[in-house]
Amino acid sequence: MFTKARLVILLILLSVAGVMFGAYKFYFQEKLAGYSRDQKFHDMLSTALKDLNNTFHGTRPEVVTEAWSAQVNPWNDALTQRTGYFSFGNWLEHEAYPKGDAPMIRFWYEDKLGKDFNKFYQDMMKKVPDLRGFPSADQLIGAFNVTMPADWSGVNVTEEMVSKELEKLSFGFAASNLILDAKPTAVYDVRPWPERVSDESKKLLKVRKIGLRFQIKTKELVGFLEKMRTDKRYFTVEAMRITYPYISNPAEPELFVELLVSQAAYAKPSGNFLASPASMAPGKTDAKNAFAQSFGGARKVGRSRAREEDAQATGQPQELGTMGKAWKWFRNNILFTK
């Protein structure tokens, strides 16, 4: 039989059970979940620490990365010095289309072709006055694969198109002067080959080849080959054929030479070719991902605290959290107070 005392005791027990359940539901359960997350994060940090110790062998990471950085600069300096040897020099340089008051680019290009060829042949006669033969302008245009203005009929000619053709012309003239400086007795063909990227050099070199057919005396040929060998730029003789059918001729022989010469320029790869200290860092791990997640969580906590401070500063009512809502429910429904 329920008496008033037993009823009061039962209500007290139910109240205590409700308080304990509410405290667990709205406080301890969230705390335990937080502890579980913290334990997982602790395990990830321990894994990251082990990875760092394995990678840096117990040395402070900044000490190791500074040592690596000290090695990168000498590598870059050595690369800069060595790549200077691989270049086309000024063989591709040419006059640019003038800005401002200038004729139409097509007419300017046509006029420049005539002036450049006239200057080249005048310089050639001064350089080798006894030269018995050299390709004509039309032959050189075909050998250099230079586009003539008449080939652009009905085409909107751009500076880029003209610059590309003038590069071919400059390279062809430079290749011609290369053999003319050797004082040949006759030149029959000067034929530049299209530029290509060398697979043998892992695509780090752009290669341009020149085919030459000429007639020259032995002493001058030896000097010509020696000059290319000792030049500060990269030259190499890919193939060479020497013939002289007139062995009974008592005069000094003029050798018939066919030569394939290559030169190369450094083709800088896209991106950073050398390894940087950042790229030498340990590989990504779960702990690294945990760091990113923890930084995100830290930013969220910071924003929550900022909102609390803003609410206190402005005097506006602060939005209740989980514990605040639980206490409000317990106070209104169990204690019957406000």
Side-chain angles (χ1 to χ4, degrees):
M1 182 177 180
F2 287 101
T3 62
K4 185 176 181 180
R6 290 179 178 178
L7 183 60
V8 170
I9 292 172
L10 180 61
L11 289 175
I12 291 174
L13 291 176
L14 291 175
S15 298
V16 172
V19 169
M20 295 178 63
F21 175 76
Y24 172 77
K25 180 68 176 176
F26 298 105
Y27 182 75
F28 289 106
Q29 187 176 20
E30 184 178 355
K31 286 291 185 183
L32 292 174
Y35 293 152
S36 178
R37 291 193 299 269
D38 292 342
Q39 183 62 42
K40 292 180 180 179
F41 183 58
H42 174 269
D43 295 340
M44 291 180 181
L45 289 177
S46 298
T47 302
L49 181 59
K50 292 178 181 178
D51 290 342
L52 288 173
N53 285 331
N54 291 334
T55 303
F56 296 100
H57 306 289
T59 307
R60 292 176 63 85
E62 56 268 24
V63 175
V64 178
T65 54
E66 285 177 4
W68 284 337
S69 299
Q71 295 296 324
V72 169
N73 288 332
W75 292 341
N76 281 324
D77 294 341
L79 178 63
T80 302
Q81 293 174 0
R82 292 172 184 173
T83 53
Y85 179 63
F86 294 97
S87 73
F88 295 134
N90 60 353
W91 281 33
L92 299 177
E93 295 179 2
H94 59 84
E95 181 183 355
Y97 176 66
K99 302 294 183 180
D101 188 14
M104 291 180 60
I105 188 167
R106 177 180 171 182
F107 299 128
W108 176 84
Y109 172 62
E110 183 176 8
D111 184 59
K112 179 166 177 56
L113 285 181
K115 291 180 179 179
D116 286 353
F117 271 102
N118 287 335
K119 183 177 185 305
F120 170 75
Y121 280 106
Q122 289 174 4
D123 294 342
M124 179 187 68
M125 296 308 298
K126 293 178 182 178
K127 186 177 296 186
V128 192
D130 298 331
L131 188 67
R132 295 199 303 268
F134 195 86
S136 65
D138 291 337
Q139 289 173 327
L140 288 183
I141 287 172
F144 298 169
N145 195 26
V146 175
T147 302
M148 295 299 292
D151 299 330
W152 282 336
S153 178
V155 177
N156 182 23
V157 181
T158 64
E159 290 186 38
E160 184 179 358
M161 294 167 61
V162 168
S163 177
K164 185 177 179 181
E165 300 306 315
L166 291 179
E167 274 190 3
K168 295 179 186 178
L169 191 65
S170 296
F171 189 87
F173 285 156
S176 301
N177 286 320
L178 178 70
I179 184 59
L180 289 173
D181 289 337
K183 300 297 188 289
T185 56
V187 177
Y188 304 110
D189 199 3
V190 178
R191 193 170 297 272
W193 289 18
E195 180 180 291
R196 67 177 182 86
V197 178
S198 173
D199 294 329
E200 294 81 1
S201 64
K202 298 182 180 179
K203 301 187 182 300
L204 293 178
L205 292 178
K206 297 180 291 185
V207 178
R208 286 177 176 261
K209 296 184 178 182
I210 313 163
L212 299 171
R213 287 197 308 117
F214 54 94
Q215 198 169 351
I216 193 171
K217 294 180 181 179
T218 306
K219 181 180 178 180
E220 281 73 16
L221 175 62
V222 173
F224 173 55
L225 296 176
E226 182 65 14
K227 179 182 178 182
M228 287 193 295
R229 188 186 70 84
T230 58
D231 200 286
K232 294 182 179 180
R233 293 199 297 117
Y234 173 82
F235 284 97
T236 184
V237 177
E238 298 282 350
M240 180 170 60
R241 182 167 64 181
I242 301 175
T243 58
Y244 184 69
Y246 312 110
I247 57 175
S248 61
N249 193 334
E252 182 179 1
E254 295 181 5
L255 307 175
F256 292 89
V257 182
E258 293 176 293
L259 206 62
L260 183 61
V261 179
S262 290
Q263 54 181 313
Y266 174 59
K268 186 176 181 180
S270 59
N272 188 11
F273 178 64
L274 291 177
S276 63
S279 66
M280 298 179 184
K284 62 179 182 180
T285 61
D286 292 338
K288 185 176 180 180
N289 296 332
F291 285 141
Q293 295 173 3
S294 67
F295 294 151
R299 286 193 292 270
K300 292 178 182 177
V301 171
R303 287 194 293 267
S304 298
R305 290 178 179 173
R307 285 197 297 268
E308 294 176 5
E309 294 174 358
D310 291 342
Q312 292 174 2
T314 57
Q316 297 178 352
Q318 180 182 343
E319 183 181 353
L320 295 177
T322 304
M323 285 300 300
K325 294 178 181 178
W327 171 247
K328 183 178 180 181
W329 176 88
F330 179 75
R331 185 179 58 188
N332 293 339
N333 297 279
I334 301 300
L335 300 180
F336 300 102
T337 60
K338 294 185 180 180

